[in-house]
Amino acid sequence: MTMIGDDLQQVNSRIAKACVTAGRAPGEVRLLAVSKTFGPQAVREAHAAGQTAFGENYVQEGLDKIEALADLRSSLEWHCIGPLQSNKTRPVAEHFDWVHSIDRLKIAERLSAQRPAHLPPLHVCLQVNVDGGANKSGVPPEEALALARAVAALPHLRLRGLMAIPEPATDFEAQRDLCLRAHAVYRSIRDAGIALDTLSLGMSADLEAAISAGSTMVRVGTAIFGGRSYGKPA
């Protein structure tokens, strides 16, 4: 097994252990391997070790990898998890399977209009700013329900849930408290009658706290692929 395969196995073990500790079934939490800044070969190695879902922050980098790994396309699931500008919606609608970062109706409307008819609906999550940080993307919690209702009504999209990136915290309880804010928004939208099934929450440093707080999908990069260099992907 490769180093990436070993690290992937360790992350999956962390997820399973966190689920048991939280009284949840391991199958309730999916792993999204965040492959940004790592090249196609790293994705191939992770895929060979059993990973199928990969997250990309940068649209063009993701498109390049999708093209380079076209031979694996039927067994790979590509998630756009970075901030999305209006001029980037078309290639995302045409080539990705999921978008996690919708925080404006305009972006969702463009994705819906630009999703090719021969493809299944694009799975989408709303990004919620649970901390209120002025420089962070995401819809404010108090506006999330209205946006969810509008996005759920669009054709060619399937609203799956919410995504959040809480501020870093140093201990488990502080991490969990931040994650619980996101879960509260998720629960309130479900209670309003919108059928969500995905809470994209938790990364390498806080996945245990996120799982304890109800996350159904953790986004892990560093613990699988190693430290990042923000130059050209390897």
Side-chain angles (χ1 to χ4, degrees):
M1 185 176 291
T2 65
M3 182 178 297
I4 287 175
D6 288 340
D7 290 344
L8 189 61
Q9 188 175 63
Q10 290 181 30
V11 170
N12 280 315
S13 295
R14 283 178 62 189
I15 292 170
K17 183 178 179 180
C19 286
V20 171
T21 301
R24 302 176 62 189
E28 292 180 28
V29 181
R30 293 187 66 199
L31 171 61
L32 179 63
V34 179
S35 44
K36 69 175 182 180
T37 77
F38 294 94
Q41 185 56 37
V43 175
R44 285 190 184 277
E45 291 180 24
H47 175 264
Q51 180 65 24
T52 58
F54 294 87
E56 292 289 330
N57 284 61
Y58 311 115
V59 173
Q60 189 56 54
E61 181 187 339
L63 294 172
D64 291 345
K65 279 181 223 176
I66 291 170
E67 181 179 2
L69 297 164
D71 57 308
L72 299 178
R73 186 64 184 94
S74 63
S75 61
L76 294 181
E77 188 177 86
W78 291 101
H79 296 234
C80 178
I81 61 175
L84 189 55
Q85 298 175 332
S86 296
N87 63 349
K88 297 288 188 179
T89 56
R90 183 174 295 278
V92 170
E94 292 175 345
H95 295 285
F96 282 80
D97 304 299
W98 283 68
V99 175
H100 289 229
S101 50
I102 291 178
D103 59 1
R104 307 189 306 282
L105 181 58
K106 177 183 177 181
I107 296 296
E109 289 173 335
R110 289 177 64 88
L111 289 169
S112 177
Q114 294 165 347
R115 183 68 168 174
H118 69 279
L119 293 178
L122 181 65
H123 301 280
V124 299
C125 292
L126 308 184
Q127 183 171 353
V128 179
N129 183 350
V130 295
D131 307 307
N135 296 321
K136 185 184 293 186
S137 299
V139 62
E142 62 273 15
E143 298 175 15
L145 176 56
L147 181 58
R149 284 179 169 143
V151 172
L154 293 172
H156 313 303
L157 301 184
R158 182 183 171 195
L159 179 61
R160 297 294 298 269
L162 305 182
M163 184 268 270
I165 309 173
E167 287 294 320
T170 56
D171 64 90
F172 178 87
E173 288 303 325
Q175 291 172 346
R176 187 172 186 273
D177 286 345
L178 288 168
C179 291
L180 283 171
R181 296 184 195 178
H183 187 264
V185 182
Y186 173 77
R187 187 176 61 247
S188 69
I189 294 175
R190 289 187 55 167
D191 289 346
I194 298 177
L196 306 184
D197 62 10
T198 301
L199 180 57
S200 174
L201 180 67
M203 297 185 283
S204 294
D206 65 350
L207 71 85
E208 286 84 1
I211 290 171
S212 176
S215 172
T216 69
M217 183 182 291
V218 292
R219 307 180 307 273
V220 178
T222 302
I224 297 171
F225 298 107
R228 292 191 176 92
S229 172
Y230 284 88
K232 186 176 179 181

